[in-house]
Amino acid sequence: MINENGPDLWSFLPDKDYIDQSGNALNLRSIQERKVLLFISMHCVRCMELVPELQQIHLPQARVILFSTGSEEDHKELDEFLQRKWPIISLSSEQMEQDFLIRSHPFGLVANENHQICDKGTVYSSNELLELVGTRGEGTLISVLRNYVRRK
Amino acid sequence: MNSLYFDYCASTPLHPRAYRTLMDSAKHNYANPSSMHEMGFEASLRVEESREQIARHLQVKATEVIFTSGATESNNLAIVGVARAWKKRTGRNPHIILSQIEHSSVYQCGKQLAEEGVEVSFLPVNSNGIVSPVSVKESLQANTILVSVMHVNNETGAVQPIAEIAELLKSEPQIHFHVDGVQGFGKLQVELEHIDLYTVSGHKIGGPKGIGLLVAKEYIEIGPLMYGGEQEQGVRPGTTNVPAVLSFTEAIVASLEERQEKFEYLTTLHGLVCSRLATIPGLVMNSPLPPLSSPHIINFSYRGRGVTSAMMISMLAKQGIIVSSQSACSSKAKLSRVLMAMTQDETISSSSIRLSLHEMVTQEDAVYLVAAIERMVSQLKSKNKFDLLQKHHVNS
């Protein structure tokens, strides 16, 4: 059986504190707005191809949280490169799988204000990220149809 | 920007002779060789002619050549097929010996068999990534039935002492010796007289993908991994891929005919690249020097600032250089199992680059490659590493 990447749609985000690159505790359930969780690995070529595109992207309609396998030093550099626009949380591949069922990278999750996963997908480019956050978000016809097919 | 490909260990372009044969046979030999009619019979004749031609070149019997879908299947057949057949016949668990640096299609067979109760020893390697025949000898047990050691390591190019291991196992007829010849075939000379099982892949030697072979000496008992047909003496059922077999045969013949000339050219290229890379501060050469390594593979790591293989693959790609780190079959792993076995160093094992060469690579290409690596290393020392992943850094 092939395992699907990421948690089931409409499941809830974990109620857990994470520490960002500045040492601040961050609980995803405390963010009362739409959230985009992006998972990358420093050992994944596709992720490294995506990173430069992230510098150009702006997602005012959602709070973006970047989960990365990098070290503290990596994340200082990455934070500087991304002009300190998003929290970056250090998480090993194993922890990503344990907490979010993420088995391959780069991967994105979109969660609604109620902390439920409303869309997810592989994100190879900024366009795919925009598509995941925008037109493929909760309530769109495409998303509803896709979720219906998935459940079938 | 044109790309320069340096990942010939992962796959090669079709040899012109293999390409012509593939096109021609795809057009004319489409009948199922197991069919009873004339066209099927014609196709089966072509397959058997190929088998005989390969057998002549490898100096084995035609009945000892088993066509498979590729090296992964050949390795599984050699290891799992032999171990399960022995277990079924004797009702006991055998012992098998593999090295820690085998390709995952061998290594994971060992892991799987261990779960099934088979005793599996994974032999260590020295700092050059080479297995010691002494450690093979010391690991032998009364129930040892199989030793599997690759000819040329796919990540570092380290040449394993297969002739010495074959020699020491010659006096142990109950122990079969399997050699994964995927990266050695067509590069180095190989004698199959005292090797019982030998794997070759089509697409690594200028043949098509989806075809490989296992040489299995006639006295070896192998259990099939699949069921449902009598093809390949029942050991490997399934419709024979006739165009791939014919094209693969051409690639094998061409590889052997051109081996010496290619070896000399690759040795020159290898020397050119290695001598310059070795002078770049911060780079650690992981491949041993010839004759301890095959001249078509060069592996190095970059020590410093959390730079990973994935980052360097991406940075070099911006300069039009296509390289890899581990085998394509293991490329999602964080650390190279092979380099960890050699060095026990996580920095080296997470920041390696494998360059694999081919006779199509010109000396000018090699000079450009080295210059691109020099540029990357120089920039890594002074800039934010994520800046270097951007395209505009290529010429800055």
Side-chain angles (χ1 to χ4, degrees):
Chain A
M1 191 179 75
I2 297 170
N3 291 319
E4 199 182 336
N5 207 20
D8 286 341
L9 289 179
W10 311 114
S11 62
F12 287 90
L13 290 172
D15 185 5
K16 189 173 172 180
D17 283 344
Y18 295 98
I19 307 296
D20 71 13
Q21 74 276 29
S22 308
N24 301 318
L26 179 73
N27 189 316
L28 299 173
R29 298 267 188 108
S30 70
I31 303 171
Q32 304 299 325
E33 57 190 298
R34 195 176 176 78
K35 296 163 276 289
V36 176
L37 280 52
L38 189 58
F39 296 84
I40 62 168
S41 163
M42 295 289 154
H43 301 279
C44 149
V45 177
R46 297 280 80 78
C47 301
M48 294 304 102
E49 296 288 327
L50 176 66
V51 164
E53 296 193 32
L54 296 180
Q55 197 185 43
Q56 309 303 326
I57 207 164
H58 294 284
L59 297 167
Q61 67 275 48
R63 280 279 296 277
V64 181
I65 300 112
L66 187 58
F67 289 84
S68 156
T69 62
S71 64
E72 195 179 323
E73 193 189 341
D74 291 331
H75 292 165
K76 274 185 190 158
E77 274 189 86
L78 184 57
D79 192 29
E80 188 184 306
F81 177 74
L82 295 177
Q83 295 149 345
R84 299 180 169 78
K85 61 180 172 182
W86 298 330
I88 304 170
I89 291 167
S90 189
L91 214 57
S92 68
S93 300
E94 293 76 19
Q95 280 176 294
M96 285 185 194
E97 180 161 5
Q98 195 178 313
D99 292 2
F100 298 96
L101 302 173
I102 304 294
R103 298 179 186 91
S104 68
H105 310 96
F107 201 78
L109 301 177
V110 182
N112 62 20
E113 295 81 353
N114 300 321
H115 318 302
Q116 285 175 290
I117 309 292
C118 56
D119 215 338
K120 62 179 182 176
T122 304
V123 177
Y124 286 140
S125 65
S126 54
N127 281 341
E128 288 185 2
L129 181 58
L130 287 170
E131 195 193 340
L132 183 71
V133 178
T135 59
R136 287 171 54 188
E138 179 185 17
T140 65
L141 182 60
I142 292 170
S143 179
V144 170
L145 286 171
R146 210 157 52 105
N147 296 339
Y148 175 76
V149 171
R150 272 183 188 149
R151 283 178 190 150
K152 281 280 174 187
Chain B
M1 179 171 51
N2 290 331
S3 291
L4 288 177
Y5 182 81
F6 293 97
D7 195 21
Y8 291 97
C9 275
S11 203
T12 57
L14 284 169
H15 189 285
R17 282 162 59 180
Y19 173 79
R20 281 194 297 274
T21 305
L22 185 68
M23 293 298 115
D24 182 62
S25 57
K27 194 172 177 183
H28 298 108
N29 303 106
Y30 52 84
N32 189 325
S34 300
S35 293
M36 293 165 73
H37 49 66
E38 188 63 22
M39 280 176 72
F41 179 65
E42 280 296 322
S44 75
L45 276 183
R46 298 294 306 277
V47 170
E48 294 316 310
E49 284 165 9
S50 291
R51 199 188 307 277
E52 282 169 19
Q53 199 178 358
I54 292 170
R56 270 198 308 279
H57 279 87
L58 299 182
Q59 296 182 300
V60 297
K61 294 176 183 171
T63 51
E64 294 175 332
V65 176
I66 300 166
F67 291 116
T68 65
S69 64
T72 294
E73 188 185 347
S74 297
N75 286 338
N76 273 258
L77 205 49
I79 296 163
V80 178
V82 165
R84 284 186 186 157
W86 192 89
K87 195 173 170 177
K88 190 176 174 185
R89 180 165 53 79
T90 63
R92 292 186 288 132
N93 275 319
H95 170 241
I96 67 171
I97 298 171
L98 316 174
S99 83
Q100 287 180 352
I101 57 155
E102 295 301 309
H103 184 268
S104 55
S105 61
V106 168
Y107 189 82
Q108 293 301 333
C109 285
K111 292 282 181 189
Q112 175 58 34
L113 287 172
E115 283 185 19
E116 296 174 19
V118 172
E119 292 178 63
V120 185
S121 299
F122 291 98
L123 298 181
V125 291
N126 65 16
S127 58
N128 280 325
I130 295 172
V131 175
S132 157
V134 174
S135 70
V136 174
K137 194 173 183 182
E138 287 172 353
S139 302
L140 297 178
Q141 298 179 184
N143 62 338
T144 304
I145 61 158
L146 182 81
V147 174
S148 179
V149 176
M150 68 203 323
H151 190 182
V152 171
N153 182 265
N154 52 295
E155 273 185 55
T156 64
V159 179
Q160 304 304 317
I162 56 167
E164 289 91 323
I165 298 170
E167 185 64 28
L168 88 87
L169 294 176
K170 208 167 69 174
S171 57
E172 309 275 358
Q174 77 285 6
I175 303 175
H176 302 320
F177 183 34
H178 169 245
V179 173
D180 174 356
V182 168
Q183 293 300 341
F185 187 82
K187 307 293 188 310
L188 306 179
Q189 203 159 15
V190 64
E191 271 286 333
L192 299 187
E193 190 183 352
H194 299 299
I195 292 172
D196 305 299
L197 297 140
Y198 183 71
T199 295
V200 184
S201 163
H203 73 112
K204 310 287 190 183
I205 60 163
K209 292 171 183 64
I211 187 77
L213 67 78
L214 176 69
V215 171
K217 297 289 175 70
E218 60 185 0
Y219 46 82
I220 293 177
E221 189 186 3
I222 299 184
L225 303 177
M226 297 186 289
Y227 299 89
E230 287 305 312
Q231 294 92 346
E232 303 301 305
Q233 304 162 62
V235 172
R236 201 279 174 183
T239 302
T240 307
N241 184 346
V242 181
V245 165
L246 305 189
S247 174
F248 180 33
T249 305
E250 273 301 314
I252 287 175
V253 174
S255 290
L256 294 174
E257 286 173 357
E258 298 164 3
R259 192 191 69 79
Q260 188 57 37
E261 192 186 344
K262 286 179 185 173
F263 180 83
E264 285 164 17
Y265 180 65
L266 290 172
T267 301
T268 306
L269 270 187
H270 184 280
L272 173 71
V273 175
C274 267
S275 61
R276 290 190 54 187
L277 290 185
T279 65
I280 301 176
L283 291 193
V284 178
M285 302 305 292
N286 298 317
S287 297
L289 291 172
L292 295 181
S293 79
S294 178
H296 72 299
I297 303 178
I298 300 164
N299 189 304
F300 66 87
S301 294
Y302 176 74
R303 261 192 184 285
R305 295 183 56 242
V307 176
T308 63
S309 304
M311 290 174 190
M312 289 192 286
I313 289 170
S314 183
M315 289 168 193
L316 289 170
K318 304 290 184 301
Q319 299 190 62
I321 300 290
I322 308 301
V323 296
S324 65
S325 53
Q326 307 177 40
S327 100
C329 306
S330 318
S331 52
K332 282 185 179 174
K334 178 182 166 189
L335 298 175
S336 154
R337 169 171 48 80
V338 172
L339 295 179
M340 276 304 283
M342 283 170 64
T343 66
Q344 294 85 46
D345 185 318
E346 291 198 4
T347 305
I348 285 178
S349 305
S350 63
S351 64
S352 66
I353 290 294
R354 176 187 71 181
L355 309 172
S356 42
L357 308 174
H358 187 268
E359 62 275 13
M360 282 170 64
V361 175
T362 65
Q363 297 205 15
E364 289 73 29
D365 295 340
V367 168
Y368 182 84
L369 164 72
V370 175
I373 295 169
E374 279 173 335
R375 199 176 303 127
M376 176 187 74
V377 171
S378 154
Q379 292 184 334
L380 274 170
K381 287 177 178 161
S382 58
K383 292 186 175 168
N384 182 316
K385 63 190 175 218
F386 297 102
D387 273 330
L388 303 183
L389 296 168
Q390 300 192 98
K391 283 196 176 109
H392 68 255
H393 267 280
V394 171
N395 296 314
S396 62

